[in-house]
Amino acid sequence: AQERALRAAVAAEPDGYAGLLALGALLGVTGRVEESAELLRRACAAQPGSRRARVWLADALRNLGHPAAATDLLDEVLRDAPDDVEALTLQAYAFGDRRRFDDAEARLARALEIDPSRRGTLLAAARVAAVHRADFGQGLRWQRAALLESPAPPGLRTE
């Protein structure tokens, strides 16, 4: 029912930012990433300054297997809003996909300085610790903190 209503809103106003963003987000979380990306591109065109549309488009691009395009788009977002934790975390995932683990860790460290209890950031840190550092103990500590919604364990290693 929600998708049908959003599709009707987009049909009634094909360049309407709110409808494009909402339908793009809904399709993204339901796994229809290609259609989501197209709608989010249109939302970005309708409102070029929208940070949210650009972040969600970057997520769709990453999920479509284009992490370089995602990191480039997130660079633009972070130039405008360097403290956007969602953009920092998503860019860390995209850097991880590109095996640029030092860049991923730097973004995560910055995100955790801003918000040390954000679940998605803690899970990203767990992934980087386990994959990059092969430190499964630290990865489990980060994951446990995310699941318990507690503050980050000490020290994201960036050496």
Side-chain angles (χ1 to χ4, degrees), residues 17-18 20-26 28-29 33 36-41 43-44 50-64 70 73-74 77 84 86-87 90 118:
Y17 168 78
L20 292 166
L21 184 69
L23 183 56
L26 176 66
V29 298
V33 183
S36 170
E38 180 54 36
L39 290 162
L40 292 168
R41 278 188 188 95
C44 287
S50 170
R51 189 171 25 160
R52 200 56 39 227
R54 291 182 292 162
V55 169
W56 291 351
L57 175 57
D59 189 35
L61 293 170
R62 180 183 164 263
N63 288 324
L64 287 169
L73 186 54
L74 291 164
V77 170
D84 186 316
E86 184 179 9
L90 181 56
R118 186 158 177 142

Side-chain angles (χ1 to χ4, degrees), residues 3-156:
E3 181 180 338
R4 195 175 11 220
L6 290 172
R7 286 190 184 280
V10 169
E13 191 179 352
D15 295 325
Y17 168 78
L20 292 166
L21 184 69
L23 183 56
L26 176 66
L27 295 176
V29 298
T30 59
R32 292 173 282 172
V33 183
E34 287 183 28
E35 190 177 0
S36 170
E38 180 54 36
L39 290 162
L40 292 168
R41 278 188 188 95
R42 289 172 53 196
C44 287
Q47 193 168 332
S50 170
R51 189 171 25 160
R52 200 56 39 227
R54 291 182 292 162
V55 169
W56 291 351
L57 175 57
D59 189 35
L61 293 170
R62 180 183 164 263
N63 288 324
L64 287 169
H66 306 292
T71 55
D72 291 346
L73 186 54
L74 291 164
D75 277 338
E76 292 175 20
V77 170
L78 291 166
R79 268 193 295 278
D80 296 339
D83 292 342
D84 186 316
V85 173
E86 184 179 9
L88 287 163
T89 303
L90 181 56
Q91 194 173 50
Y93 274 116
F95 278 138
D97 293 344
R98 298 174 68 191
R99 309 206 57 77
R100 290 177 53 184
F101 295 114
D102 291 340
D103 290 326
E105 287 181 341
R107 295 313 182 278
L108 291 171
R110 176 69 184 126
L112 289 169
E113 284 174 14
I114 298 164
D115 184 355
S117 63
R118 186 158 177 142
R119 178 176 283 178
T121 305
L122 293 168
L123 290 173
R127 179 176 174 223
V128 168
V131 174
H132 178 219
R133 299 285 181 199
D135 185 345
F136 298 103
Q138 181 66 15
L140 288 172
R141 284 188 290 281
W142 287 102
Q143 197 168 41
R144 183 173 186 275
L147 295 173
L148 297 175
E149 295 187 53
S150 61
L156 179 66

